Amino acid sequence: MCGIIGYIGKKHNVTDVLITGLKALEYRGYDSVGIALWNEDMFKLIKSAGKISHLEDKIRKEGNMTSQMGIGHTRWATHGEPNDTNSHPHRVGNVTLVHNGIIENYQELKEELIKKGYHFASDTDTEVIASLLDDIKKNKENYLEILQELTTRLRGSYALGIVFDQDKNHLYALRKDSPLILGIGDKENFIASDIPAIIPYTKQYILLEAGEIARLSEDGIDLFDTSLKPISKKIQQVNWTMEQAEKGGYSHFMLKEIMEEERVLKDTILPFVKDKETLLSKMPDLKKYDQVHIVACGSAMHAGLVGKYLIETYANIPVTVEVASEYRYKKNFYTDHTLVILVSQSGETADTIAALRLAKESKVDTLAIVNVYGSTIARESDQVLYIYAGPEIAVATTKAYTLQVAMLSLVALTMAINHKQMKEEEITMLLEAFQNLPEILGGLLEKQESYFEIAKMLDGSEDVFFLGRGVDYALAMEGSLKLKEISYIHSEAYQAGELKHGTISLIEKNTPVIALVTDEKLAEKTISNIKEVKARGAKVILVTLESLDRDYDFCDQKIVLPVVPPFVQPILVMPPLQLLSFEVARRRGCDIDKPRNLAKSVTVE
Ligand code: M6R
């Protein structure tokens, strides 16, 4: 977690660049924040627990500080509580640095440094890195060699921005397993954890790889490999506009991102679905695989559950879906015909990266479904399918989830074709259904006010249940996560038939139950289960299809979805529920884009 920004140059005010970058990176963590600025003859630290506005107040009190180099950090605490001392940058001797990641051997290094006389003010692993650098510096003068030695001593993940008082013309950066990019300007250069932090200043950047060291000056960037041999790297071009990275007139990023779903669905799926030949030429060849593991975390795992349903139902291939943090430590069964699919918006989720590496060590083929171009999962997987969601800033994923489901649907269709499980007429009909889907989704989003109206039913509720069978259960899990993570209402998703095996005891008068009935084959069964909760006093919000819409006496509110072929139906279910959750959280006054305790990209185990 955590966000890093660094700047060297005279074209812009350093403090402004750092604050702008930190605001763009706040999604990576927002419990404390800090900057270090070159000021006269040393780096001056200004740090604060809480939001960036607190830091801005402190900076204002310091008065005008002219500088031509600085580093900044927004934190998501891993070692020690979020307070001023634990926040970054950390400074020991003449070394000042910011860090994203976790140093696994920090305790052992700390003990060694304590024996050498070092004292530690914070609880962080980062202060240990600063002390270690200070210690290495005692026997070496060349900064590159100092950093090279540092990399041999650290175990774990890190992206580091480092400055030395005696070398005020250079900013150093290095990384392993945590992301870091280098922004290239004209007479100014940047380091950042992610692209939105540099977009206002430059669209050109370099991806720093594990083990590489970057030395930035006002005039350029020198890159070195692990043996300190100078290297040159491809310059990448950002294809996002600043406007895409901002709220675009919406009150919240989450709302903006939900309302973008029609466009991003078009961008992502239309290039694949012109006809069967186009689909097969753009998709990987999946003929070889007779077993699939889908591995992901959170909402991406929920998207995987929909993928499982589709691949098993239509391609007739068994699929397991596992949470990455479990998969990486359990026994997995592979054959030469196993495909491991990793699903991740950020492409930087630590557990999913570990699962990917595990599969690769076992020589199993891997396919990633990722949003962020050039992210670790995208780079390390054998094959990548990008979803084109653009930047997703709200911590709760919405458009990326919808696109993950859509991309997994295309994978399922490809597998069904590759394994000769589908007739030509059905393939043609489904490709047409995919083509029409973005517009139908757009029509659903236009009804946002009606979902906002239904959201009022959850005023004052502290427990909500989501029910569904089959694929509706997979969708219920995501609906429930969306609601609880942003509104802080306790919510559980249950298989409709399972509730009566215990949990139904929690249903009392006016407990809201959101029941999903979008699979015609299972509708009757689920409706019986809904009647069971209604009989115990539940308030029911039914999510169903136009074809199943009746004047039911058991439902208090309804969200009715247009009927599309069952294969693509799941793609339409979540957007209304995302809008419903958004409004529930808004009515409760929650910090929707940055829910408490969460971070957008979980880059620690
Ligand atoms: O970047 P990833 O897709 O790998 O992230 C996975 C989860 O951390 C993420 O989906 C998380 O569950 C979100 N808070 C859901 O809104």
Side-chain angles (χ1 to χ4, degrees), residues 562-581:
V563 181
V564 291
F567 193 102
V568 293
Q569 193 77 58
I571 302 171
L572 295 182
V573 178
M574 208 46 57
L577 290 177
Q578 292 165 349
L579 285 166
L580 180 83
S581 296

Side-chain angles (χ1 to χ4, degrees), residues 352-530:
T352 313
I353 294 173
L356 162 66
R357 291 181 181 161
L358 181 81
K360 294 206 76 176
E361 274 162 29
S362 308
K363 309 251 179 297
V364 181
D365 291 354
T366 53
L367 167 67
I369 296 179
V370 172
N371 186 36
V372 178
Y373 179 80
S375 56
T376 305
I377 294 175
R379 289 202 311 276
E380 294 189 14
S381 296
D382 298 319
Q383 311 210 52
V384 192
L385 288 168
Y386 281 107
I387 54 170
Y388 291 99
E392 195 181 58
I393 307 293
V395 166
T397 182
T398 51
K399 57 178 178 173
Y401 166 84
T402 297
L403 297 185
Q404 287 162 350
V405 172
M407 189 52 81
L408 282 160
S409 308
L410 291 178
V411 168
L413 179 58
T414 307
M415 285 198 125
I417 298 172
N418 283 168
H419 288 260
K420 304 200 184 326
Q421 296 292 312
M422 214 175 250
K423 295 203 179 91
E424 288 301 319
E425 311 84 79
E426 197 180 353
I427 298 167
T428 311
M429 180 274 289
L430 287 179
L431 288 170
E432 205 180 307
F434 274 108
Q435 289 161 18
N436 298 332
L437 209 60
E439 209 178 316
I440 299 175
L441 174 58
L444 266 178
L445 295 173
E446 274 170 22
K447 296 187 194 153
Q448 57 167 291
E449 289 303 328
S450 66
Y451 317 130
F452 289 176
E453 199 50 42
I454 296 173
K456 292 181 184 162
M457 249 179 88
L458 270 67
D459 282 354
S461 300
E462 288 309 327
D463 298 287
V464 173
F465 290 85
F466 281 73
L467 296 187
R469 260 174 203 268
V471 73
D472 280 330
Y473 172 58
L475 295 161
M477 287 177 78
E478 175 58 12
S480 172
L481 175 62
K482 209 56 31 200
L483 180 70
K484 71 182 132 194
E485 70 181 330
I486 61 167
S487 73
Y488 316 143
I489 296 178
H490 163 247
S491 166
E492 287 185 47
Y494 255 84
Q495 295 98 332
E498 180 64 14
L499 201 70
K500 57 176 159 298
H501 295 282
T503 310
I504 201 165
S505 63
L506 294 173
I507 303 287
E508 49 189 37
K509 191 163 167 15
N510 288 333
T511 305
V513 171
I514 302 181
L516 277 61
V517 185
T518 73
D519 182 345
E520 295 191 348
K521 295 188 303 302
L522 298 173
E524 269 185 27
K525 299 283 173 203
T526 310
I527 286 172
S528 307
N529 302 131
I530 302 171

